[in-house]
Amino acid sequence: MNTPLIKGLLEYSDKKNVRFHMPGHKGRTIYDLAKLIPDIDVTEVEGTDNLHNPKGVINESQKRASNIYGTRKTFYSVNGTTAGIYAAITSSVKPGEEILIQRNCHKSIYNALVIGRIKGNFIYPKYDSKNNILTIIDPNEINDILSENKNIKAVVITYPSYLGICSDIKTIADVVHKHDKILIVDEAHGSHLEFSNKLPISAESAGADIIVQSTHKTLPSYTQSSMVHVNSDRVDNDRLFKMMSMFQSTSPSYILMSSLDMAMDYMINEGKNRLEKVLNYIDEFTYKVDNLEGISLFVGDTKYIFDKTKIVINATELGLRGSDLENILRKEYNIELEMSDLFYALAMVSVMNTKKDLDKLYLALKDISNTHCKKKLKIKEDIKFLQPTKYIEIYEAFNENSKFENLDDAIGEIASDYIIPYPPGVPVVAPGEILSKDIINHIKKFIDADIEILGLNNNKVSIIDK
């Protein structure tokens, strides 16, 4: 049998790694759903309903999810949160209209501007220079922008961030609604928040208008299964449904929809109590790691709240970058994390992780603390935000011919792709923006600091070929 993909997946499975990465089921099954897959992998026949015209069991399942989250309406997305983001934005903002988005948002949000031919305005997150991490969006800055630009139709906020940082979403919702605008929240990493009062408030409870969730990231549903929640009468449900249908397959997966159905049933029966136990395990883990030499956890700040299911580990005091720590945990301890950057390694915990999982991670970190040299890693970094001049809109730049150019020769040219240093993960330049001398010099500083930069090709930048 020549099946290289299956072979690779089974080889990973055979390693029996402790999974601190997506999806939220962590390789563990609920209700033996896996055994049902051949039986439930069907199409639109009598009794199975139709996602694009739900009147039966799919409609009933979506209503149940809506009731669980306390929203007015819920749509299932089998094309992931990406499809939900596309639908939410293009149903709220028409071609040629304006939107305000978080500069460090997911790429799908930028892509929605291309698809919908929407004019983008940006708001930047705060940067914590002490901890080398992006933090919150200031509601006052949103208020100032909306006061100055009456043409903005909607605001898109990421909540919580990839690393678990939560802006004051309730105040942001109040500010956006004061200006009679629509608040869209990318809650890809927050589908679990509604199930515990020990976690930050959910965007649904905070009053956002449209919430898009990657259920599969933090709850036990299958990859690519997501939900879109409607939470106010500001939303045109008919147009949103039309866009959801447009961005989803006409052959939607009943396996994915069933996994959403099952995840909801699990959470309101067994999962909610299990989540409380997992949160206690995390507290115990955090307390123990606090006593390890050379290893620290980022646990938020008094200025904002933090989702503790995101374990953000720093080992630079041991001379280890985040990527070094991730590799050591994988190769020497069979622990697979979600991601890493220059400073941090991220372990994502879900309701399906166990005390044994967290104990194994703690013992690994303890061993690393005892065995690695205590030589602080000195990382040269110069994190600041330049605000480039927009020459043309993102969607216009996307459709232009492009070429790669040396950095020094690209001064004054127009970028045709994103340039994103990580960290901090915010585009220095977006398509359609001018590559000034200051921006080119800023990019060089990231290169000199050995910071990974997405969008460069052998230190060449993509520009519009005039």
Side-chain angles (χ1 to χ4, degrees):
M1 187 168 70
N2 185 13
T3 53
L5 175 58
I6 293 174
K7 179 183 177 183
L9 292 171
L10 291 177
E11 286 176 353
Y12 176 71
S13 178
D14 288 344
K15 292 177 182 177
K16 304 299 180 185
N17 288 340
V18 175
R19 299 187 186 188
F20 287 106
H21 60 79
M22 301 181 284
H25 60 66
K26 308 298 180 181
R28 297 172 174 129
T29 187
I30 57 174
Y31 302 158
D32 286 331
L33 178 59
K35 294 180 181 179
L36 298 176
I37 285 178
D39 295 321
I40 64 176
D41 186 20
V42 297
T43 187
E44 295 87 350
V45 295
E46 181 68 26
T48 65
D49 206 0
N50 186 335
L51 182 62
H52 295 275
N53 186 28
K55 296 179 180 179
V57 290
I58 294 175
N59 184 51
E60 182 182 347
S61 182
Q62 290 183 147
K63 282 184 176 180
R64 187 168 188 242
S66 180
N67 289 335
I68 290 170
Y69 280 101
T71 60
R72 299 194 178 196
K73 197 170 186 64
T74 294
F75 299 99
Y76 284 171
S77 174
V78 295
N79 281 25
T81 292
T82 293
I85 289 292
Y86 290 169
I89 290 177
T90 56
S91 66
S92 302
V93 187
K94 295 177 181 177
E97 293 183 338
E98 298 187 40
I99 195 170
L100 177 63
I101 67 174
Q102 200 168 319
R103 183 78 179 193
N104 61 322
C105 63
H106 189 264
K107 190 176 181 180
S108 63
I109 295 172
Y110 283 96
N111 288 342
L113 306 192
V114 176
I115 293 169
R117 298 184 66 82
I118 296 167
K119 298 178 179 178
N121 299 273
F122 301 108
I123 184 166
Y124 288 78
K126 302 295 182 183
Y127 187 76
D128 180 348
S129 57
K130 177 183 176 181
N131 292 297
N132 298 296
I133 200 166
L134 289 170
T135 61
I136 60 171
I137 296 295
D138 186 346
N140 294 321
E141 291 183 17
I142 294 178
N143 184 62
D144 291 342
I145 293 171
L146 295 180
S147 295
E148 292 175 7
N149 188 346
K150 307 293 185 182
N151 294 323
I152 292 172
K153 302 297 182 182
V155 178
V156 183
I157 296 295
T158 302
Y159 175 94
S161 73
Y162 199 2
L163 298 182
I165 295 168
C166 298
S167 298
D168 185 352
I169 197 66
K170 179 67 172 66
T171 300
I172 290 175
D174 292 342
V175 167
V176 172
H177 295 155
K178 181 184 74 173
H179 290 273
D180 198 27
K181 310 299 180 183
I182 291 176
L183 176 60
I184 301 169
V185 175
D186 177 1
E187 202 178 40
H189 292 273
S191 58
H192 60 299
L193 298 180
E194 185 67 25
F195 297 99
S196 176
N197 57 18
K198 294 180 181 178
L199 294 171
I201 187 174
S202 68
E204 304 87 76
S205 296
D209 299 296
I210 304 177
I211 303 98
V212 190
Q213 296 175 331
S214 295
T215 315
H216 65 93
K217 283 183 169 65
T218 64
L219 295 182
S221 69
Y222 289 163
T223 295
Q224 206 170 304
S225 59
S226 297
M227 297 187 193
V228 178
H229 300 292
V230 178
N231 208 27
S232 79
D233 57 8
R234 299 178 185 86
V235 180
D236 184 338
N237 282 323
D238 291 338
R239 182 170 174 80
L240 177 57
F241 176 72
K242 183 192 302 183
M243 292 303 182
M244 285 295 297
S245 186
M246 180 180 294
F247 292 117
Q248 298 213 71
S249 170
T250 54
S251 300
S253 168
Y254 279 81
I255 297 170
L256 297 183
M257 289 187 283
S258 296
S259 77
L260 289 171
D261 195 36
M262 199 163 283
M264 290 298 96
D265 188 75
Y266 178 79
M267 290 308 298
I268 63 172
N269 287 301
E270 180 183 343
K272 192 170 183 179
N273 290 333
R274 180 165 174 166
L275 178 59
E276 294 302 310
K277 292 180 181 179
V278 170
L279 294 175
N280 289 333
Y281 300 153
I282 293 172
D283 289 340
E284 295 171 9
F285 170 86
T286 302
Y287 176 80
K288 291 189 293 186
V289 172
D290 192 47
N291 294 312
L292 296 182
E293 185 177 356
I295 292 179
S296 62
L297 302 180
F298 179 81
V299 292
D301 190 274
T302 57
K303 298 176 182 177
Y304 48 86
I305 51 179
F306 182 72
D307 174 12
K308 66 172 70 175
T309 66
K310 309 300 188 294
I311 298 178
V312 185
I313 312 167
N314 185 305
T316 54
E317 293 288 337
L318 299 177
L320 299 174
R321 299 182 178 190
S323 55
D324 298 328
L325 180 62
E326 182 184 22
N327 288 330
I328 291 170
L329 287 169
R330 178 190 302 116
K331 295 176 181 178
E332 299 182 22
Y333 300 93
N334 277 60
I335 295 173
E336 190 71 42
L337 302 187
E338 167 66 19
M339 59 82 72
S340 63
D341 61 24
L342 202 58
F343 300 98
Y344 295 101
L346 172 63
M348 287 181 63
V349 180
S350 85
V351 65
M352 298 305 291
N353 281 112
T354 64
K355 186 177 187 300
K356 185 177 179 180
D357 293 342
L358 285 158
D359 286 344
K360 185 171 182 178
L361 178 59
Y362 165 71
L363 292 174
L365 293 176
K366 182 180 179 181
D367 191 47
I368 292 169
S369 172
N370 291 333
T371 57
H372 282 73
C373 67
K374 308 299 188 293
K375 182 180 179 182
K376 184 175 182 179
L377 181 65
K378 295 182 179 180
I379 302 174
K380 293 196 313 178
E381 52 84 17
D382 180 20
I383 305 295
K384 62 180 180 179
F385 295 132
L386 301 176
Q387 299 201 17
T389 299
K390 180 169 65 176
Y391 185 80
I392 56 176
E393 297 296 334
I394 290 177
Y395 59 83
E396 294 174 315
F398 182 85
N399 290 303
E400 295 286 346
N401 294 328
S402 64
K403 64 179 181 180
F404 282 98
E405 189 63 86
N406 293 320
L407 286 172
D408 288 334
D409 296 328
I411 295 174
E413 299 290 346
I414 303 166
S416 66
D417 198 357
Y418 305 100
I419 300 176
I420 308 175
Y422 205 90
V426 178
V428 173
V429 168
E433 294 175 344
I434 297 174
L435 292 159
S436 67
K437 184 175 181 180
D438 285 343
I439 288 172
I440 294 296
N441 289 336
H442 194 51
I443 293 169
K444 289 180 178 179
K445 288 181 180 179
F446 283 109
I447 294 173
D448 292 340
D450 199 25
I451 291 175
E452 180 183 11
I453 303 177
L454 306 180
L456 294 185
N457 185 353
N458 294 322
N459 290 343
K460 291 185 176 183
V461 60
S462 180
I463 63 172
I464 290 177
D465 189 4
K466 298 176 181 176

